[in-house]
Amino acid sequence: MARIGPRFSRSEPRERVRDYVAGLLSGLQRKNSWWIAEHAGESSPDGMQRLLRKARFDVEAIRDDLTGYVSERLGEADGVLILDETGFVKKGRASVGVARQYSGTAGRIENSQITVFAAYASAKGHALVDRELYLLKDWTEDPDRCAAAGVPAERIAAGTVTKPRLAQVIIERADDAGLPFQWVTADAAYGSAKYLRFWLEQRDQFHVLALRGKDDVVIGFSQPRAQAVIDDLPERAWQRLSVGAGSHGPRRYDWARVPVRWAWRPGRGHWLLARRSITDPTKIAYYICYGPRRSSLTDLA
């Protein structure tokens, strides 16, 4: 709190944000303004709501402070930047970015906000470090609505930005901030965007990105689907590996990889990676990988 304190020009929000964060870190059953205000000894949620809705502070500077803090406390040369989106179900139309759209949180099309998040992970721990709100055309084509909700002018001018493009913004920002990460990971919503993969490769940024089975990969001069390539593998190509501890013990899967692309730059390699469930071999996940030529199957897994 001492680090981010200067981002608040007034003492009241500076003190209240400390109580708000303490509430988030507490064992409260619910983390809304009512519960957090009571935890802080306040008689009503008005102050907490005012902090979140109207208080003026430098949000982007606080994000940079957080990135610096995570880099100092958790930073490792082989760190991983993890990109994923989260949906926040909403009832009304006023929340910025809210629209009827698919929400993975709800598992269906729902009135919600969608935000692309970045987490940083190393052997020392993990933490969220950045976020970008996704805006559909319902918003970007209505400047007045955006302005009323406080959307920055430069974001309005940019129009609709895809989620993989938002991921690029986040990755670039983390890199510029000096956050030490060797690998980038994301699910198929990002891995299926070829322009994101090309951009990462141009930056020589190692990555393991999920693919859909129907996505094509380059094998020599052909472009078969990922699923077809893995289906043709003999059983001896699979290795059983543990990729860390889960809530029910070691997370064990069968893994296999196939070299892809016909030309590799010196010291670098490209692979199609597959993860197969031990209990249900029909459940297979696919990943496109770019990294050091000597990367082992365990490294990629």
Side-chain angles (χ1 to χ4, degrees):
M1 300 315 299
R3 183 184 293 240
I4 70 171
R7 307 305 183 184
F8 298 83
S9 58
R10 296 177 59 246
S11 61
E12 182 192 36
R14 187 184 306 122
E15 293 168 1
R16 183 161 279 126
V17 77
R18 179 194 59 204
D19 292 337
Y20 179 75
V21 172
L24 293 178
L25 295 174
S26 72
L28 290 173
Q29 183 179 357
R30 300 180 68 184
K31 305 292 177 72
N32 59 29
S33 295
W34 280 92
W35 284 67
I36 292 177
E38 185 175 335
H39 180 265
E42 298 183 8
S43 59
S44 78
D46 296 350
M48 292 298 175
Q49 291 174 350
R50 187 163 57 249
L51 170 71
L52 299 176
R53 295 179 60 189
K54 297 182 178 180
R56 292 182 176 274
F57 51 90
D58 194 334
V59 178
E60 308 308 320
I62 290 176
R63 177 206 60 216
D64 295 342
D65 290 338
L66 171 63
T67 302
Y69 183 82
V70 170
S71 182
E72 292 171 14
R73 298 303 182 97
L74 306 181
E76 291 281 324
D78 60 352
V80 181
L81 192 67
I82 306 156
L83 296 156
D84 201 2
E85 63 195 56
T86 295
F88 301 92
V89 176
K90 297 288 182 178
K91 296 297 183 184
R93 295 183 71 256
S95 297
V96 61
V98 70
R100 285 194 60 77
Q101 53 193 321
Y102 179 78
S103 166
T105 306
R108 60 183 181 275
I109 294 176
E110 187 63 83
N111 195 60
S112 60
Q113 294 169 307
I114 301 294
T115 302
V116 179
F117 282 97
Y120 179 79
S122 74
K124 295 180 179 179
H126 56 87
L128 291 174
V129 292
D130 206 348
R131 78 287 173 265
E132 281 289 339
L133 186 66
Y134 175 62
L135 298 177
L136 284 169
K137 287 184 178 180
D138 290 358
W139 281 85
T140 58
E141 295 181 354
D142 190 342
D144 292 338
R145 187 184 185 192
C146 284
V151 178
E154 61 272 18
R155 187 65 189 280
I156 298 174
T160 299
V161 182
T162 65
K163 295 166 190 173
R165 293 288 186 199
L166 293 177
Q168 285 180 238
V169 170
I170 290 172
I171 294 167
E172 204 161 36
R173 201 152 54 204
D175 199 25
D176 291 344
L179 189 66
F181 57 97
Q182 186 175 41
W183 296 87
V184 169
T185 67
D187 67 15
Y190 304 87
S192 294
K194 292 183 179 180
Y195 63 84
L196 176 60
R197 285 151 40 191
F198 177 76
W199 179 80
L200 287 168
E201 186 180 336
Q202 290 298 105
R203 295 170 64 91
D204 197 30
Q205 176 61 65
F206 305 157
H207 53 271
V208 177
L209 304 177
L211 288 181
R212 301 181 179 93
K214 64 182 180 181
D215 290 335
D216 60 78
V217 294
V218 177
I219 304 284
F221 294 99
S222 62
Q223 291 187 319
R225 291 186 173 185
Q227 181 177 352
V229 174
I230 298 303
D231 285 347
D232 286 342
L233 290 178
E235 189 58 33
R236 66 177 181 275
W238 295 88
Q239 293 185 40
R240 187 156 297 178
L241 301 171
S242 172
V243 292
S247 57
H248 301 289
R251 293 180 295 155
R252 296 177 64 83
Y253 297 94
D254 289 331
W255 296 84
R257 68 171 175 176
V258 179
V260 296
R261 302 276 291 274
W262 57 273
W264 291 1
R265 70 170 67 178
R268 301 291 181 257
H270 301 262
W271 300 270
L272 172 63
L273 177 71
R275 186 194 71 192
R276 187 176 69 183
S277 168
I278 296 173
T279 56
D280 185 356
T282 64
K283 291 184 176 180
I284 299 177
Y286 308 90
Y287 307 86
I288 197 76
C289 310
Y290 169 77
R293 183 183 288 263
R294 294 187 177 182
S295 297
S296 67
L297 179 62
T298 303
D299 292 332
L300 300 178

